[in-house]
Amino acid sequence: AQSVTQLGSHVSVSEGALVLLRCNYSSSVPPYLFWYVQYPNQGLQLLLKYTSAATLVKGINGFEAEFKKSETSFHLTKPSAHMSDAAEYFCAVSGLSGGGADGLTFGKGTHLIIQP
Amino acid sequence: DAGITQSPRHKVTETGTPVTLRCHQTENHRYMYWYRQDPGHGLRLIHYSYGVKDTDKGEVSDGYSVSRSKTEDFLLTLESATSSQTSVYFCAIKDVAGGPGEQYFGPGTRLTVT
């Protein structure tokens, strides 16, 4: 069975500073990994995904994530935070090979706060 | 936009009453999912469907049932609602063409059981 751990339920950064949201996974097979963002009172929006094509993945809104197999990590970064980045961020792993009907297993989420 | 709608968007109901939430998609995706979101728990899978009349249980299926009589609709039913089922419920579809595991979510239904 796979699991996802997000370190830090709340992360606060200043506007313009580096954003780093941490995600570690456990999976018995090569994983497919995702980051989703949720703005207040909205659904989840796919930010980026890792599907083994490249270890450094670029997503929307200037975010990127690096897959490190040796560290079983998939941390999300953005060089310069913007006020509009304030939201809840979820890391997720796809079941088994990612095919079939398997659902996603989510981390508990990290609330990103941007200080002016 | 994955063409997913959920209804109702908000509902308040009393303990012991039956409740049905509807998820509707417009793009003929085979796989559909129901998740619940609770503070400190992230999203957890309730049930999923891999085709018309083909469904299976997820991580937190107790107290819930589902039905899928046509491709575009996936219904989640709480037979007798309890306060522990107060949550935000999200429907999702898997876009197989987009890559392994990629899912898109509806806007959610906020359910309060009093």
Side-chain angles (χ1 to χ4, degrees), chain B residues 46-64:
Chain B
I46 305 172
H47 279 281
Y48 61 94
S49 171
Y50 46 97
V52 173
K53 297 186 179 180
D54 292 323
T55 66
D56 207 344
K57 297 178 179 180
E59 177 188 357
V60 290
S61 59
D62 287 348
Y64 302 94

Side-chain angles (χ1 to χ4, degrees), chain A residues 54-91:
Chain A
T55 57
L56 183 62
V57 180
K58 295 187 182 298
I60 62 173
N61 301 337
F63 284 92
E64 62 182 36
E66 185 173 9
F67 172 70
K68 293 186 176 180
K69 184 177 180 180
S70 62
E71 299 177 6
T72 61
S73 68
F74 191 55
H75 301 331
L76 182 71
T77 61
K78 182 174 181 178
S80 177
H82 192 273
M83 295 300 291
S84 61
D85 294 327
E88 190 84 15
Y89 291 81
F90 294 95
C91 183

Side-chain angles (χ1 to χ4, degrees), chain B:
Chain B
D1 185 0
I4 306 170
T5 58
Q6 293 184 232
S7 59
R9 293 293 314 279
H10 301 270
K11 186 171 183 65
V12 179
T13 192
E14 294 184 349
T15 298
T17 60
V19 176
T20 296
L21 309 182
R22 179 182 184 236
C23 177
H24 179 79
Q25 57 140 333
T26 60
E27 299 186 5
N28 208 35
H29 294 289
R30 177 182 175 188
Y31 302 109
M32 298 184 74
Y33 305 82
W34 278 107
Y35 295 86
R36 60 177 288 173
Q37 182 181 20
D38 304 290
H41 289 276
L43 279 79
R44 292 176 291 176
L45 182 64
I46 305 172
H47 279 281
Y48 61 94
S49 171
Y50 46 97
V52 173
K53 297 186 179 180
D54 292 323
T55 66
D56 207 344
K57 297 178 179 180
E59 177 188 357
V60 290
S61 59
D62 287 348
Y64 302 94
S65 62
V66 291
S67 65
R68 193 168 178 199
S69 59
K70 45 187 178 179
T71 300
E72 58 266 36
D73 289 327
F74 191 32
L75 304 181
L76 177 71
T77 297
L78 291 65
E79 300 292 347
S80 178
T82 68
S83 59
S84 65
Q85 294 176 312
T86 292
S87 187
V88 181
Y89 292 85
F90 287 99
C91 174
I93 59 92
K94 178 181 288 189
D95 182 358
V96 177
E102 188 168 324
Q103 294 187 16
Y104 292 90
F105 288 79
T109 294
R110 184 173 296 274
L111 177 67
T112 302
V113 183
T114 61

Side-chain angles (χ1 to χ4, degrees), chain A residues 11-19 78-83 85 112-116:
Chain A
V11 170
S12 180
V13 302
S14 298
E15 189 174 18
L18 172 72
V19 175
K78 182 174 181 178
S80 177
H82 192 273
M83 295 300 291
D85 294 327
L112 178 62
I113 302 162
I114 311 297
Q115 304 283 2

